[in-house]
Amino acid sequence: MSILKERFDVAVIGAGPAGSMAAKYAAKSGANAVILEEHPAVGWPVECAGLLGLGALAESELPDSSFVLRKIKGAAIYSPGGNRLDFKAKDPRASVVDRRLFDRAAACEALHEGVEMRLCSPVRRIRREGDESVLSLGGGDEIRASIVISAEGVRGRLARQAGIMPPELVLSGAQVEVPFAVEDPESLEVHLGAAPGLFAWVIPTGEETARIGLCARERGCEHLKRFLGQEVIRKRILGSATTINVGGLPLGPPPVTVAQGLLVVGDAAGQVKPTSGGGIYPGLVAAKIAGGVAAAAAMEGDGSAQRLQEYDRIWRANLGRELEIGMRANRMLNRMSAKECDELVNYLAGRPALIKTIEEHGDIDRPSSLMIKMLFHLDWDGLKLAGLLRYALG
């Protein structure tokens, strides 16, 4: 069996949005970059709800929006006891996308910058030889690179082997796409208390289709099955599921996201919003930084962990506080009883000024800005909510 040895400045493991963006920015910075994707097609399998905020779409830098299925302006939030809060902005605040098309569009942008793509190229292991990393691929081939960027997803096997700690918490996610009686095609649904860990969602993909899913601390599929059986959902399902997706949701980045010759981005680095479970926005922001730092380090011939710490410092300066606030908000939500969730949703539903604030300033990519603004609209009856917001904001 022949062994193919090639050398690149930067090798990126994984062709998801973060991996493609990291490779793109490495190439834009003058590096010779390659993406190593284990699957035979970019964008598969899908392990995402496919809801992107305005920030994520802007960070993607994609020239067209053919991957967008629907625009979202609002949401209906349900408490465990059935209380409901509705809000809807004048303009779209998020988009429902086809993740396969989105991922492929992001990969094509990287290829346009001169990045090379290798499909069916699982990386089995990485060893450091002098100033280079040697990546052993399936089939016996090897590739050499000055710097490696791990964008391998939530499992992060190679990152863990390099000594990068796992994220603080990994939730179990499950989702189905079904024919569904959509109440408002421009609004999604959030169901609090559906499972310990996060919440359940209903995201319309058409006039009569929706993605229904949730994330739980464990056994996401079992929790989803129970949620689909609840009357509020069951009576609106119009047929059998056409798609089932399962995956892990990493929350809480590790203390360090670099090692000698290696940077870690996206899900493998726990760069996911703990308030919504979205990883595209923070992953893209961090990936641009990773690509630039990796290219500079490769051309300097310095792959030391100390040199690569620049990436860790910059991405935390951009995203660290937002993710920390999100983790506190997630813990706060999980500590609340069903009764407390009912009271909170009921309180918000009866405050038009607060609803207007949500409609005007809601941002799923950087929710802390809304939390701060909400504090200025709380009266004496909202002292408990104010305390919760202050806890989340630190």
Side-chain angles (χ1 to χ4, degrees):
M1 182 179 296
S2 64
I3 296 181
L4 176 65
K5 292 187 178 182
E6 297 181 77
R7 189 194 178 282
F8 295 86
D9 296 321
V10 178
V12 180
I13 304 172
S20 292
M21 186 62 75
K24 172 183 172 181
Y25 267 69
K28 285 169 69 73
S29 300
N32 179 20
V34 63
I35 300 174
L36 304 171
E37 168 57 43
E38 65 176 319
H39 297 103
V42 175
W44 187 262
V46 176
E47 296 181 356
C48 174
L51 183 71
L52 273 60
L54 299 180
L57 285 175
E59 289 292 336
S60 73
E61 301 178 352
L62 295 177
D64 65 67
S65 57
S66 58
F67 49 82
V68 173
L69 303 177
R70 180 164 300 279
K71 300 284 189 177
I72 297 295
K73 294 182 178 180
I77 300 178
Y78 292 83
S79 74
N83 293 340
R84 176 171 169 168
L85 166 66
D86 289 271
F87 56 87
K88 192 171 184 178
K90 294 180 180 179
D91 301 313
R93 293 306 175 91
S95 295
V96 183
V97 305
D98 184 320
R99 270 297 305 272
R100 290 170 295 180
L101 297 180
F102 177 80
D103 286 20
R104 291 170 190 173
C108 285
E109 287 297 295
L111 301 186
H112 292 160
E113 290 292 338
V115 175
E116 187 172 336
M117 173 78 73
R118 301 285 180 86
L119 299 174
C120 299
S121 298
V123 179
R124 302 303 187 194
R125 65 188 183 95
I126 304 172
R127 68 180 187 274
R128 194 73 178 169
E129 291 186 358
D131 295 332
E132 292 185 329
S133 291
V134 180
L135 294 83
S136 299
L137 310 182
D141 291 342
E142 290 185 342
I143 283 180
R144 293 178 175 266
S146 296
I147 307 295
V148 177
I149 299 177
S150 165
E152 54 187 314
V154 61
R155 297 168 188 84
R157 177 179 57 84
L158 297 167
R160 310 298 163 248
Q161 290 177 2
I164 305 297
M165 293 178 62
E168 180 180 330
L169 175 68
V170 178
L171 300 181
S172 173
Q175 176 179 270
V176 295
E177 188 157 354
V178 295
F180 193 74
V182 175
E183 184 177 286
D184 181 355
E186 294 182 326
S187 291
L188 57 86
E189 297 178 18
V190 174
H191 294 259
L192 303 177
L198 197 59
F199 50 74
W201 60 82
V202 177
I203 301 174
T205 55
E207 298 294 331
E208 291 190 340
T209 56
R211 296 170 186 161
I212 305 174
L214 54 71
C215 281
R217 289 194 174 260
E218 58 183 0
R219 299 191 301 274
C221 290
E222 294 180 22
H223 285 289
L224 178 59
K225 184 177 180 180
R226 283 195 292 270
F227 178 66
L228 294 172
Q230 293 183 8
E231 184 179 3
V232 67
I233 299 298
R234 185 185 68 248
K235 66 182 181 181
R236 299 162 63 193
I237 295 177
L238 306 177
S240 301
T242 57
T243 305
I244 299 175
N245 302 119
V246 296
L249 184 73
L251 302 181
V256 178
T257 55
V258 301
Q260 184 180 18
L262 179 75
L263 302 90
V264 185
V265 299
D267 284 7
Q271 293 163 340
V272 173
K273 295 172 294 182
T275 49
S276 66
I280 301 297
Y281 172 75
L284 291 176
V285 172
K288 293 177 183 180
I289 300 166
V293 171
M299 288 184 282
E300 293 167 11
D302 186 356
S304 66
Q306 183 177 2
R307 172 64 181 89
L308 300 181
Q309 278 288 345
E310 179 186 5
Y311 159 68
D312 209 78
R313 291 193 299 271
I314 297 175
W315 85 251
R316 290 184 195 276
N318 279 268
L319 299 166
R321 174 165 167 76
E322 195 70 42
L323 296 182
E324 288 173 7
I325 291 172
M327 284 303 294
R328 286 195 288 268
N330 180 275
R331 294 188 196 105
M332 177 186 75
L333 180 64
N334 278 283
R335 289 171 185 166
M336 293 176 68
S337 66
K339 181 180 179 182
E340 288 173 326
C341 284
D342 290 338
E343 292 173 350
L344 176 60
V345 172
N346 189 56
Y347 173 84
L348 292 171
R351 300 299 188 276
L354 279 173
I355 294 175
K356 184 177 180 180
T357 298
I358 295 171
E359 292 172 342
E360 292 179 351
H361 302 287
D363 183 351
I364 64 173
D365 291 320
R366 290 193 177 267
S368 65
S369 60
L370 173 61
M371 293 181 189
I372 294 171
K373 290 180 172 61
M374 287 177 68
L375 282 171
F376 293 100
H377 291 278
L378 295 175
D379 53 30
W380 286 102
D381 292 336
L383 283 176
K384 185 172 184 179
L385 175 57
L388 293 173
L389 290 174
R390 289 192 179 98
Y391 165 78
L393 292 166

